[in-house]
Amino acid sequence: LNNQELVETSKNTNDFIYASFRKSDQIRETIFDIEKTGRVISKNRDDKVAVKELQSIESSQKALLTHQVLNGLYSNDVDWYYLGQKINIGSKKDLYKQISEVCKTIYSSTPIYRNELINRHHISGSIANSKKMFFERLVNDFDKEDLGLSKDHFPAEKTIYLSLLHESGVHVKKGTSYTFQKPTDTSFHELWNYSESFLENAKTERKTIEQFYEHLKQKPFKLSIGFMDFWIPTFLFIKRDDFALFGK
């Protein structure tokens, strides 16, 4: 692609930041050399001496490619484009800042949630018991402060409660006991609103929990499996009087 074609391409997507290397011929030549060396290696597997020498050459070529790309990335030899506009990226800090802005645009409905215990696609086995304890407390002690968890100890289930329900403003005191409400943390509002609309739509057409998960995995939410494994059951418990679950 030439620069004009790149501008037109970038107009049609907000998912990518494009970098155009002005000296791309040098990079292309190095990539060709790497591929050529790789083919020679594959044809001479039985010659261990030759393979060892060729692998050394290949390593040098890959190091050169890394140098050509990374050293030139923030130089005047690279033009950057986003949404059809040329943008200024002069350092790694500039790039990270731009990526952050892009993420805010693409994942505009993602809540701000800071708990690495569950905010991941695969939670550790050690969290399984904490997950069980969290939901036991949620079901049995939802009307108590901190779900009845000790004030002096901070097991994993308590840090999960604090970050998911307390700090978000979902679990609050009303009168002499505790109850649930719409989050006061505005970054959770889109998630809460969609979750409510999912249940509302289920009144007129059959919905599955899998569909709930599937939508929240996509833009503009893009939530991790670990987070959803806590959020969806918790939300359904909060709204337990508004729906009925049926097994197949």
Side-chain angles (χ1 to χ4, degrees), residues 26-27 33 44-45 52 54 63 78 83 90 92 98 105 108 116 129 135 137-138 161 163-164 201 218 238:
Q26 296 176 0
I27 295 174
D33 289 341
N44 294 273
R45 291 293 182 188
K52 184 177 181 180
L54 287 165
V78 176
L83 290 178
K92 185 181 292 187
Q98 185 65 44
T105 300
S108 57
E116 293 305 314
N129 187 58
F135 285 115
R137 290 288 189 171
L138 181 69
Y161 159 76
S163 57
L164 186 65
N201 291 334
Q218 310 302 321
I238 293 171

PDB file of all heavy atoms in Angstrom, residues 26-27 33 44-45 52 54 63 78 83 90 92 98 105 108 116 129 135 137-138 161 163-164 201 218 238:
ATOM      1  N   GLN A  26      14.352  -1.670   2.416  1.00  0.00           N
ATOM      2  CA  GLN A  26      15.401  -2.298   3.221  1.00  0.00           C
ATOM      3  C   GLN A  26      14.819  -3.398   4.109  1.00  0.00           C
ATOM      4  O   GLN A  26      15.394  -4.481   4.243  1.00  0.00           O
ATOM      5  CB  GLN A  26      16.102  -1.247   4.089  1.00  0.00           C
ATOM      6  CG  GLN A  26      16.845  -0.190   3.294  1.00  0.00           C
ATOM      7  CD  GLN A  26      17.447   0.880   4.190  1.00  0.00           C
ATOM      8  OE1 GLN A  26      17.312   0.839   5.411  1.00  0.00           O
ATOM      9  NE2 GLN A  26      18.116   1.850   3.584  1.00  0.00           N
ATOM     10  N   ILE A  27      13.662  -3.110   4.703  1.00  0.00           N
ATOM     11  CA  ILE A  27      13.003  -4.100   5.566  1.00  0.00           C
ATOM     12  C   ILE A  27      12.548  -5.290   4.740  1.00  0.00           C
ATOM     13  O   ILE A  27      12.721  -6.451   5.141  1.00  0.00           O
ATOM     14  CB  ILE A  27      11.805  -3.452   6.294  1.00  0.00           C
ATOM     15  CG1 ILE A  27      12.299  -2.367   7.247  1.00  0.00           C
ATOM     16  CG2 ILE A  27      11.003  -4.506   7.060  1.00  0.00           C
ATOM     17  CD1 ILE A  27      11.199  -1.564   7.905  1.00  0.00           C
ATOM     18  N   ASP A  33      15.684 -12.129   2.810  1.00  0.00           N
ATOM     19  CA  ASP A  33      16.905 -12.865   3.163  1.00  0.00           C
ATOM     20  C   ASP A  33      16.621 -13.908   4.247  1.00  0.00           C
ATOM     21  O   ASP A  33      17.154 -15.022   4.203  1.00  0.00           O
ATOM     22  CB  ASP A  33      17.980 -11.898   3.641  1.00  0.00           C
ATOM     23  CG  ASP A  33      18.558 -11.049   2.509  1.00  0.00           C
ATOM     24  OD1 ASP A  33      18.395 -11.454   1.339  1.00  0.00           O
ATOM     25  OD2 ASP A  33      19.152  -9.994   2.795  1.00  0.00           O
ATOM     26  N   ASN A  44      18.646 -28.687   3.989  1.00  0.00           N
ATOM     27  CA  ASN A  44      19.950 -29.256   4.356  1.00  0.00           C
ATOM     28  C   ASN A  44      19.971 -29.719   5.812  1.00  0.00           C
ATOM     29  O   ASN A  44      20.976 -29.555   6.513  1.00  0.00           O
ATOM     30  CB  ASN A  44      21.059 -28.225   4.117  1.00  0.00           C
ATOM     31  CG  ASN A  44      21.236 -27.888   2.654  1.00  0.00           C
ATOM     32  OD1 ASN A  44      21.960 -28.554   1.923  1.00  0.00           O
ATOM     33  ND2 ASN A  44      20.563 -26.826   2.209  1.00  0.00           N
ATOM     34  N   ARG A  45      18.866 -30.288   6.266  1.00  0.00           N
ATOM     35  CA  ARG A  45      18.752 -30.713   7.659  1.00  0.00           C
ATOM     36  C   ARG A  45      19.804 -31.736   8.053  1.00  0.00           C
ATOM     37  O   ARG A  45      20.207 -31.811   9.214  1.00  0.00           O
ATOM     38  CB  ARG A  45      17.355 -31.295   7.918  1.00  0.00           C
ATOM     39  CG  ARG A  45      16.239 -30.273   7.880  1.00  0.00           C
ATOM     40  CD  ARG A  45      16.336 -29.288   9.028  1.00  0.00           C
ATOM     41  NE  ARG A  45      15.256 -28.317   9.038  1.00  0.00           N
ATOM     42  CZ  ARG A  45      15.212 -27.275   9.859  1.00  0.00           C
ATOM     43  NH1 ARG A  45      16.201 -27.075  10.731  1.00  0.00           N
ATOM     44  NH2 ARG A  45      14.199 -26.433   9.815  1.00  0.00           N
ATOM     45  N   LYS A  52      24.120 -25.328  11.351  1.00  0.00           N
ATOM     46  CA  LYS A  52      24.565 -24.482  12.457  1.00  0.00           C
ATOM     47  C   LYS A  52      25.025 -23.120  11.951  1.00  0.00           C
ATOM     48  O   LYS A  52      24.710 -22.077  12.538  1.00  0.00           O
ATOM     49  CB  LYS A  52      25.694 -25.175  13.219  1.00  0.00           C
ATOM     50  CG  LYS A  52      26.162 -24.417  14.448  1.00  0.00           C
ATOM     51  CD  LYS A  52      27.229 -25.194  15.216  1.00  0.00           C
ATOM     52  CE  LYS A  52      27.670 -24.429  16.451  1.00  0.00           C
ATOM     53  NZ  LYS A  52      28.717 -25.183  17.210  1.00  0.00           N
ATOM     54  N   LEU A  54      24.161 -21.702   9.070  1.00  0.00           N
ATOM     55  CA  LEU A  54      23.008 -21.000   8.504  1.00  0.00           C
ATOM     56  C   LEU A  54      22.110 -20.416   9.596  1.00  0.00           C
ATOM     57  O   LEU A  54      21.555 -19.325   9.445  1.00  0.00           O
ATOM     58  CB  LEU A  54      22.200 -21.953   7.624  1.00  0.00           C
ATOM     59  CG  LEU A  54      22.845 -22.316   6.270  1.00  0.00           C
ATOM     60  CD1 LEU A  54      22.154 -23.511   5.657  1.00  0.00           C
ATOM     61  CD2 LEU A  54      22.793 -21.117   5.323  1.00  0.00           C
ATOM     62  N   ALA A  63      18.107 -10.194  13.869  1.00  0.00           N
ATOM     63  CA  ALA A  63      18.539  -9.072  14.719  1.00  0.00           C
ATOM     64  C   ALA A  63      18.557  -7.777  13.903  1.00  0.00           C
ATOM     65  O   ALA A  63      18.173  -6.708  14.400  1.00  0.00           O
ATOM     66  CB  ALA A  63      19.909  -9.359  15.303  1.00  0.00           C
ATOM     67  N   VAL A  78       9.066   7.089   9.502  1.00  0.00           N
ATOM     68  CA  VAL A  78       7.789   6.395   9.638  1.00  0.00           C
ATOM     69  C   VAL A  78       6.654   7.408   9.719  1.00  0.00           C
ATOM     70  O   VAL A  78       6.730   8.384  10.469  1.00  0.00           O
ATOM     71  CB  VAL A  78       7.775   5.499  10.903  1.00  0.00           C
ATOM     72  CG1 VAL A  78       6.399   4.865  11.088  1.00  0.00           C
ATOM     73  CG2 VAL A  78       8.837   4.417  10.799  1.00  0.00           C
ATOM     74  N   LEU A  83      -7.662   6.543  11.515  1.00  0.00           N
ATOM     75  CA  LEU A  83      -8.937   7.040  10.993  1.00  0.00           C
ATOM     76  C   LEU A  83      -8.742   8.032   9.852  1.00  0.00           C
ATOM     77  O   LEU A  83      -9.423   9.061   9.756  1.00  0.00           O
ATOM     78  CB  LEU A  83      -9.770   7.675  12.111  1.00  0.00           C
ATOM     79  CG  LEU A  83     -10.328   6.722  13.156  1.00  0.00           C
ATOM     80  CD1 LEU A  83     -11.091   7.493  14.231  1.00  0.00           C
ATOM     81  CD2 LEU A  83     -11.248   5.675  12.521  1.00  0.00           C
ATOM     82  N   GLY A  90       6.187  10.227  18.181  1.00  0.00           N
ATOM     83  CA  GLY A  90       7.625  10.451  18.210  1.00  0.00           C
ATOM     84  C   GLY A  90       8.352   9.642  19.264  1.00  0.00           C
ATOM     85  O   GLY A  90       9.581   9.719  19.378  1.00  0.00           O
ATOM     86  N   LYS A  92       7.835   6.012  22.295  1.00  0.00           N
ATOM     87  CA  LYS A  92       7.024   4.908  22.795  1.00  0.00           C
ATOM     88  C   LYS A  92       5.887   5.451  23.660  1.00  0.00           C
ATOM     89  O   LYS A  92       4.765   4.937  23.634  1.00  0.00           O
ATOM     90  CB  LYS A  92       7.889   3.944  23.610  1.00  0.00           C
ATOM     91  CG  LYS A  92       7.168   2.692  24.066  1.00  0.00           C
ATOM     92  CD  LYS A  92       8.067   1.793  24.900  1.00  0.00           C
ATOM     93  CE  LYS A  92       9.179   1.188  24.071  1.00  0.00           C
ATOM     94  NZ  LYS A  92       9.955   0.187  24.850  1.00  0.00           N
ATOM     95  N   GLN A  98      -1.598   6.978  22.427  1.00  0.00           N
ATOM     96  CA  GLN A  98      -2.538   6.840  21.321  1.00  0.00           C
ATOM     97  C   GLN A  98      -3.303   5.528  21.408  1.00  0.00           C
ATOM     98  O   GLN A  98      -4.521   5.473  21.176  1.00  0.00           O
ATOM     99  CB  GLN A  98      -1.793   6.909  19.985  1.00  0.00           C
ATOM    100  CG  GLN A  98      -2.691   6.887  18.763  1.00  0.00           C
ATOM    101  CD  GLN A  98      -3.590   8.107  18.671  1.00  0.00           C
ATOM    102  OE1 GLN A  98      -3.151   9.231  18.897  1.00  0.00           O
ATOM    103  NE2 GLN A  98      -4.860   7.889  18.332  1.00  0.00           N
ATOM    104  N   THR A 105     -12.012   4.348  22.824  1.00  0.00           N
ATOM    105  CA  THR A 105     -13.019   4.487  21.772  1.00  0.00           C
ATOM    106  C   THR A 105     -13.666   3.145  21.450  1.00  0.00           C
ATOM    107  O   THR A 105     -14.897   3.024  21.383  1.00  0.00           O
ATOM    108  CB  THR A 105     -12.377   5.063  20.492  1.00  0.00           C
ATOM    109  OG1 THR A 105     -11.829   6.352  20.781  1.00  0.00           O
ATOM    110  CG2 THR A 105     -13.401   5.180  19.377  1.00  0.00           C
ATOM    111  N   SER A 108     -15.594   1.391  24.749  1.00  0.00           N
ATOM    112  CA  SER A 108     -16.151   2.519  25.490  1.00  0.00           C
ATOM    113  C   SER A 108     -17.049   2.101  26.648  1.00  0.00           C
ATOM    114  O   SER A 108     -17.315   2.890  27.550  1.00  0.00           O
ATOM    115  CB  SER A 108     -16.948   3.414  24.535  1.00  0.00           C
ATOM    116  OG  SER A 108     -17.968   2.657  23.887  1.00  0.00           O
ATOM    117  N   GLU A 116      -6.688  -8.003  39.688  1.00  0.00           N
ATOM    118  CA  GLU A 116      -6.085  -8.987  38.805  1.00  0.00           C
ATOM    119  C   GLU A 116      -6.377 -10.420  39.224  1.00  0.00           C
ATOM    120  O   GLU A 116      -6.051 -11.355  38.499  1.00  0.00           O
ATOM    121  CB  GLU A 116      -4.565  -8.760  38.737  1.00  0.00           C
ATOM    122  CG  GLU A 116      -4.174  -7.462  38.061  1.00  0.00           C
ATOM    123  CD  GLU A 116      -4.772  -7.345  36.667  1.00  0.00           C
ATOM    124  OE1 GLU A 116      -4.700  -8.320  35.900  1.00  0.00           O
ATOM    125  OE2 GLU A 116      -5.330  -6.274  36.344  1.00  0.00           O
ATOM    126  N   ASN A 129     -11.821 -21.790  45.370  1.00  0.00           N
ATOM    127  CA  ASN A 129     -12.447 -21.832  46.688  1.00  0.00           C
ATOM    128  C   ASN A 129     -12.942 -20.456  47.098  1.00  0.00           C
ATOM    129  O   ASN A 129     -14.012 -20.331  47.721  1.00  0.00           O
ATOM    130  CB  ASN A 129     -11.457 -22.356  47.732  1.00  0.00           C
ATOM    131  CG  ASN A 129     -12.111 -22.584  49.080  1.00  0.00           C
ATOM    132  OD1 ASN A 129     -13.064 -23.343  49.201  1.00  0.00           O
ATOM    133  ND2 ASN A 129     -11.600 -21.899  50.113  1.00  0.00           N
ATOM    134  N   PHE A 135     -19.737 -16.497  46.623  1.00  0.00           N
ATOM    135  CA  PHE A 135     -21.141 -16.686  46.290  1.00  0.00           C
ATOM    136  C   PHE A 135     -21.950 -17.216  47.474  1.00  0.00           C
ATOM    137  O   PHE A 135     -23.142 -16.900  47.600  1.00  0.00           O
ATOM    138  CB  PHE A 135     -21.280 -17.598  45.069  1.00  0.00           C
ATOM    139  CG  PHE A 135     -20.932 -16.896  43.783  1.00  0.00           C
ATOM    140  CD1 PHE A 135     -19.837 -17.284  43.037  1.00  0.00           C
ATOM    141  CD2 PHE A 135     -21.691 -15.815  43.352  1.00  0.00           C
ATOM    142  CE1 PHE A 135     -19.506 -16.616  41.859  1.00  0.00           C
ATOM    143  CE2 PHE A 135     -21.372 -15.142  42.174  1.00  0.00           C
ATOM    144  CZ  PHE A 135     -20.272 -15.543  41.431  1.00  0.00           C
ATOM    145  N   ARG A 137     -21.401 -16.262  50.559  1.00  0.00           N
ATOM    146  CA  ARG A 137     -21.651 -15.030  51.322  1.00  0.00           C
ATOM    147  C   ARG A 137     -22.698 -14.168  50.627  1.00  0.00           C
ATOM    148  O   ARG A 137     -23.559 -13.567  51.282  1.00  0.00           O
ATOM    149  CB  ARG A 137     -20.341 -14.242  51.467  1.00  0.00           C
ATOM    150  CG  ARG A 137     -19.334 -14.887  52.394  1.00  0.00           C
ATOM    151  CD  ARG A 137     -19.778 -14.765  53.845  1.00  0.00           C
ATOM    152  NE  ARG A 137     -18.736 -15.183  54.757  1.00  0.00           N
ATOM    153  CZ  ARG A 137     -18.783 -15.014  56.068  1.00  0.00           C
ATOM    154  NH1 ARG A 137     -19.840 -14.435  56.618  1.00  0.00           N
ATOM    155  NH2 ARG A 137     -17.791 -15.419  56.847  1.00  0.00           N
ATOM    156  N   LEU A 138     -22.613 -14.084  49.320  1.00  0.00           N
ATOM    157  CA  LEU A 138     -23.569 -13.269  48.563  1.00  0.00           C
ATOM    158  C   LEU A 138     -24.997 -13.760  48.790  1.00  0.00           C
ATOM    159  O   LEU A 138     -25.911 -12.963  49.039  1.00  0.00           O
ATOM    160  CB  LEU A 138     -23.226 -13.327  47.069  1.00  0.00           C
ATOM    161  CG  LEU A 138     -24.123 -12.503  46.143  1.00  0.00           C
ATOM    162  CD1 LEU A 138     -23.898 -11.007  46.369  1.00  0.00           C
ATOM    163  CD2 LEU A 138     -23.853 -12.867  44.684  1.00  0.00           C
ATOM    164  N   TYR A 161     -15.100  -8.913  46.644  1.00  0.00           N
ATOM    165  CA  TYR A 161     -16.315  -8.196  47.040  1.00  0.00           C
ATOM    166  C   TYR A 161     -16.085  -6.685  47.023  1.00  0.00           C
ATOM    167  O   TYR A 161     -16.894  -5.921  46.476  1.00  0.00           O
ATOM    168  CB  TYR A 161     -16.778  -8.625  48.425  1.00  0.00           C
ATOM    169  CG  TYR A 161     -17.672  -7.594  49.079  1.00  0.00           C
ATOM    170  CD1 TYR A 161     -18.998  -7.448  48.680  1.00  0.00           C
ATOM    171  CD2 TYR A 161     -17.161  -6.706  50.040  1.00  0.00           C
ATOM    172  CE1 TYR A 161     -19.806  -6.462  49.222  1.00  0.00           C
ATOM    173  CE2 TYR A 161     -17.961  -5.726  50.586  1.00  0.00           C
ATOM    174  CZ  TYR A 161     -19.289  -5.598  50.177  1.00  0.00           C
ATOM    175  OH  TYR A 161     -20.075  -4.606  50.711  1.00  0.00           O
ATOM    176  N   SER A 163     -13.892  -4.820  45.451  1.00  0.00           N
ATOM    177  CA  SER A 163     -13.676  -4.216  44.137  1.00  0.00           C
ATOM    178  C   SER A 163     -14.912  -4.325  43.240  1.00  0.00           C
ATOM    179  O   SER A 163     -15.183  -3.422  42.438  1.00  0.00           O
ATOM    180  CB  SER A 163     -12.470  -4.864  43.438  1.00  0.00           C
ATOM    181  OG  SER A 163     -12.647  -6.267  43.323  1.00  0.00           O
ATOM    182  N   LEU A 164     -15.673  -5.393  43.373  1.00  0.00           N
ATOM    183  CA  LEU A 164     -16.806  -5.616  42.480  1.00  0.00           C
ATOM    184  C   LEU A 164     -18.097  -4.957  42.947  1.00  0.00           C
ATOM    185  O   LEU A 164     -18.839  -4.380  42.145  1.00  0.00           O
ATOM    186  CB  LEU A 164     -17.043  -7.123  42.307  1.00  0.00           C
ATOM    187  CG  LEU A 164     -18.103  -7.539  41.280  1.00  0.00           C
ATOM    188  CD1 LEU A 164     -17.664  -7.130  39.876  1.00  0.00           C
ATOM    189  CD2 LEU A 164     -18.348  -9.047  41.344  1.00  0.00           C
ATOM    190  N   ASN A 201     -35.292  -7.972  27.592  1.00  0.00           N
ATOM    191  CA  ASN A 201     -35.551  -8.589  26.289  1.00  0.00           C
ATOM    192  C   ASN A 201     -35.949 -10.053  26.424  1.00  0.00           C
ATOM    193  O   ASN A 201     -36.643 -10.601  25.560  1.00  0.00           O
ATOM    194  CB  ASN A 201     -34.322  -8.467  25.391  1.00  0.00           C
ATOM    195  CG  ASN A 201     -34.050  -7.044  24.971  1.00  0.00           C
ATOM    196  OD1 ASN A 201     -34.966  -6.223  24.923  1.00  0.00           O
ATOM    197  ND2 ASN A 201     -32.796  -6.734  24.668  1.00  0.00           N
ATOM    198  N   GLN A 218     -17.702  -9.287  23.411  1.00  0.00           N
ATOM    199  CA  GLN A 218     -17.478  -8.500  22.206  1.00  0.00           C
ATOM    200  C   GLN A 218     -17.348  -7.011  22.540  1.00  0.00           C
ATOM    201  O   GLN A 218     -17.637  -6.565  23.641  1.00  0.00           O
ATOM    202  CB  GLN A 218     -18.643  -8.708  21.229  1.00  0.00           C
ATOM    203  CG  GLN A 218     -19.003 -10.153  20.958  1.00  0.00           C
ATOM    204  CD  GLN A 218     -17.856 -10.962  20.403  1.00  0.00           C
ATOM    205  OE1 GLN A 218     -17.080 -10.468  19.587  1.00  0.00           O
ATOM    206  NE2 GLN A 218     -17.736 -12.214  20.841  1.00  0.00           N
ATOM    207  N   ILE A 238     -28.802 -10.505  42.071  1.00  0.00           N
ATOM    208  CA  ILE A 238     -29.384  -9.209  42.426  1.00  0.00           C
ATOM    209  C   ILE A 238     -30.789  -9.072  41.837  1.00  0.00           C
ATOM    210  O   ILE A 238     -31.709  -8.561  42.488  1.00  0.00           O
ATOM    211  CB  ILE A 238     -28.474  -8.065  41.929  1.00  0.00           C
ATOM    212  CG1 ILE A 238     -27.146  -8.068  42.701  1.00  0.00           C
ATOM    213  CG2 ILE A 238     -29.168  -6.710  42.070  1.00  0.00           C
ATOM    214  CD1 ILE A 238     -26.108  -7.106  42.137  1.00  0.00           C
TER     215      ILE A 238
END
